[in-house]
Amino acid sequence: MTILDRFRLDGRVAVVTGANRGLGRSIATALAEAGAHIGLAARDTGSLQELTALLAQTGAKTAAAPCDVTDPESVEAAVARFEETLGPVDIWINNAGITYWGPTLEADPAGGWETILATNAGGVFNCSQAVGRRMAARGSGTIINIGSISGLIVNRPQWQAAYNASKAAVHHLTRSLAVELAPAGVRVNALAPGFIATDMVSEMFDVPEYKEEWIDRVPLKRAADPMEISSAAVFLASEAASFMTGSVVVVDGGYTLT
C-alpha cells in the first residue's frame, strides 16, 4: 500500500448528518470522491435528492434517511436504514448543528440554550451511541465530530454563548469517547473549523464589523473554502490517520493564534 492509497476510502460506508447543505454537503462529496459509499442524513430528505443524484455520478452507492439527531429513536432508525441499504457503517460524521445569536441575558432559555445543546451536543451523543455500539461489536470504525473554534474562543462581534458551550462540549465528548472506545477498535476525532465561506454566511464577510473580526484577524486573510475542511475530514476518516484518536484538529487559517 502506497501513502496515497492510505487516503482512499474505497468500499467503505460513510454517513454524514446535516448533509443537505454547507459543510455537510461538502464533506459528503469529498468522501464519495475518495471512494466511499455515502449515507445522507437530514430532517428533510427531500432536500437531499439533488445531492444524491450528484454523488451517484462518482460511482458511489448512496442512500438518504430522515434523522432528527435530538431523538434517539430517529437516530436508531436512520442507522438501521443505512446498514440495511449500504452495509455496516465504517465512518460516521456528526455534522448536524444549529446556532443562536443574541445577548445571553435576553435569550429564551428554550431556544437560546436548550435547543442548541440538545442538537449540537446531545445529537453527537445520540448518534455516537447508536453507531458506536455497532462499531464496537465489529471491532472497527471511526467517528468524526464537527466542533468549532467557537469551542476554544469567544466569538466576536456576535454573542453566542450557548453555541460556544455546545462546541466545547463536543470537543470534550470527543476525547472522552476516544478513550472509552479505543479498546473496541473505534477511533473518535473532531474537527474545529474556523470561518467557512458557505452560502449561509458568505454575504456577511463584506459587512465591516464582521469582516474585521472574521477575515482581517485571520493570518491567511480569508475564510476557508468548504473543501479545505472536507479534505481534513477525509484524512481523519482514512487509514492515513490510523494512529489518531481523541484529537481536535483546528483548521482555521491561524485565527486562534492571534
Side-chain angles (χ1 to χ4, degrees):
M1 178 182 288
T2 69
I3 187 62
L4 292 181
D5 290 334
R6 294 182 65 82
F7 288 85
R8 294 293 305 174
L9 301 174
D10 297 302
R12 299 189 190 179
V13 174
V15 174
V16 183
T17 68
N20 54 328
R21 62 181 181 178
L23 183 58
R25 178 187 176 96
S26 177
I27 290 175
T29 302
L31 294 171
E33 291 175 350
H37 303 307
I38 307 297
L40 304 169
R43 283 181 292 186
D44 174 20
T45 56
S47 63
L48 296 172
Q49 292 178 356
E50 184 265 340
L51 179 58
T52 300
L54 181 66
L55 296 184
Q57 297 177 15
T58 68
K61 296 178 184 176
T62 61
C67 183
D68 178 353
V69 298
T70 68
D71 179 358
E73 292 185 0
S74 176
V75 171
E76 284 283 352
V79 176
R81 161 79 173 160
F82 291 127
E83 297 216 324
E84 177 185 348
T85 55
L86 297 175
V89 175
D90 302 297
I91 302 156
W92 186 280
I93 313 289
N94 281 311
N95 170 73
I98 57 175
T99 190
Y100 168 84
W101 287 5
T104 300
L105 301 185
E106 300 173 10
D108 171 15
W113 177 259
E114 295 171 12
T115 303
I116 299 293
L117 268 291
T119 302
N120 295 1
V124 170
F125 179 88
N126 293 336
C127 292
S128 297
Q129 184 181 60
V131 76
R133 287 174 178 146
R134 293 164 168 85
M135 290 178 172
R138 295 196 309 272
S140 66
T142 184
I143 297 170
I144 301 170
N145 301 322
I146 304 303
S148 172
I149 60 168
S150 301
L152 305 170
I153 62 167
V154 177
N155 295 83
R156 297 171 184 271
Q158 77 279 20
W159 301 126
Q160 50 181 42
Y163 181 83
N164 297 350
S166 74
K167 291 302 184 178
V170 168
H171 294 173
H172 206 55
L173 179 57
T174 297
R175 300 183 185 102
S176 300
L177 290 174
V179 174
E180 189 172 348
L181 297 180
V186 179
R187 297 190 298 112
V188 187
N189 291 291
L191 286 173
F195 296 103
I196 309 170
T198 62
D199 293 341
M200 291 186 291
V201 297
S202 290
E203 62 185 26
M204 301 184 70
F205 293 145
D206 293 327
V207 178
E209 63 176 324
Y210 291 102
K211 180 178 181 294
E212 179 181 0
E213 293 290 339
W214 293 7
I215 301 297
D216 295 345
R217 277 191 55 195
V218 180
L220 292 182
K221 299 301 180 186
R222 63 179 179 84
D225 183 278
M227 287 304 290
E228 291 178 300
I229 311 301
S230 302
S231 59
V234 171
F235 164 65
L236 289 177
S238 74
E239 287 301 309
S242 57
F243 200 56
M244 289 181 67
T245 197
S247 295
V248 178
V249 179
V250 178
V251 189
D252 69 347
Y255 186 93
T256 52
L257 303 177
T258 63

